[in-house]
Amino acid sequence: YFGSSSSDTIYTDLFQLYPTDSYVNTRRNNYPYGTVGTPTWISQNGSRLGPCTAAGYSGTVFEPLDAFKGDLARTYFYIATRYQHEMAGWTTLNSYGDAILDSTAYPCFEDWFLTMLLQWNADDPVSQKETDRNNAVYALQGNRNPFIDHPEYVDIIWAGALPSVLPEPTNHAASFSAHNILLNWVDAVGANL
């Protein structure tokens, strides 16, 4: 999504480069990652291409295997942190970048995409393979992906960036009456929010 307007650094940043099957990668094209309900194509190992099921986006997306979803989420959080000063300009470079990026340096992702990345980070914890890769990249590149070392940083930084709607409280007024400025209030049983 970064096009030719980015620094040369991102093109060689090993944290955003993954070895992949060339046929599957060609089918993925530049489609954003997402969750697919009814796939139009399924790879031999189970990756899926098709319409996105996330609220907020209905375009074509590529859904990787569950074992890679957290890895990819932490990669996106790394890119958003490392290249924060460039990301706002990536939105207009192609329609797929515009689908996932919100033209800001923070939170930088569209709500649907950020929600998905947070879920993927939670559902697919850091594996030993991912830790080993982080160590190998550090040995070559001299920096680490902090979201592999500390996946809890993801929620600290990004969970508050989503618009939140509080659930209806379970503790609400069961009855209310007012007579001559006499106020009687009885709460139903439930949690206070």
Side-chain angles (χ1 to χ4, degrees):
Y1 307 121
F2 40 84
S4 61
S5 67
S6 295
S7 65
D8 291 339
T9 309
I10 194 165
Y11 291 98
T12 59
D13 191 325
L14 296 173
F15 284 116
Q16 65 94 22
L17 297 172
Y18 283 90
T20 183
D21 178 275
S22 63
Y23 180 76
V24 174
N25 193 48
T26 299
R27 291 300 303 253
R28 180 193 171 230
N29 199 342
N30 284 324
Y31 294 118
Y33 289 109
T35 53
V36 175
T38 306
T40 56
W41 177 79
I42 302 174
S43 72
Q44 288 182 353
N45 71 353
S47 298
R48 302 152 49 100
L49 185 70
C52 187
T53 60
Y57 187 68
S58 59
T60 300
V61 294
F62 183 86
E63 182 174 351
L65 301 175
D66 289 346
F68 294 101
K69 288 178 178 176
D71 305 39
L72 291 169
R74 288 179 284 278
T75 295
Y76 272 87
F77 292 127
Y78 164 82
I79 290 170
T81 303
R82 170 66 178 85
Y83 300 97
Q84 178 181 14
H85 60 287
E86 297 179 33
M87 287 190 75
W90 296 350
T91 307
T92 58
L93 297 177
N94 70 54
S95 60
Y96 301 123
D98 188 39
I100 68 166
L101 302 173
D102 73 353
S103 299
T104 67
Y106 175 83
C108 75
F109 301 116
E110 295 288 350
D111 290 346
W112 77 269
F113 195 72
L114 179 55
T115 299
M116 181 193 72
L117 293 178
L118 290 168
Q119 190 64 54
W120 285 7
N121 178 64
D123 290 348
D124 177 28
V126 174
S127 65
Q128 187 59 51
K129 181 183 85 167
E130 194 176 1
T131 299
D132 293 345
R133 184 174 189 266
N134 199 23
N135 293 335
V137 171
Y138 175 73
L140 294 169
Q141 193 166 285
N143 69 322
R144 303 182 67 78
N145 181 336
F147 304 107
I148 295 171
D149 292 329
H150 295 280
E152 70 274 13
Y153 289 176
V154 169
D155 285 332
I156 292 169
I157 295 169
W158 275 282
L162 288 170
S164 61
V165 176
L166 295 176
E168 183 176 337
T170 58
N171 185 9
H172 56 279
S175 68
F176 175 80
S177 63
H179 301 281
N180 298 327
I181 310 182
L182 174 64
L183 188 61
N184 295 313
W185 185 281
V186 178
D187 280 337
V189 177
N192 289 315
L193 295 179

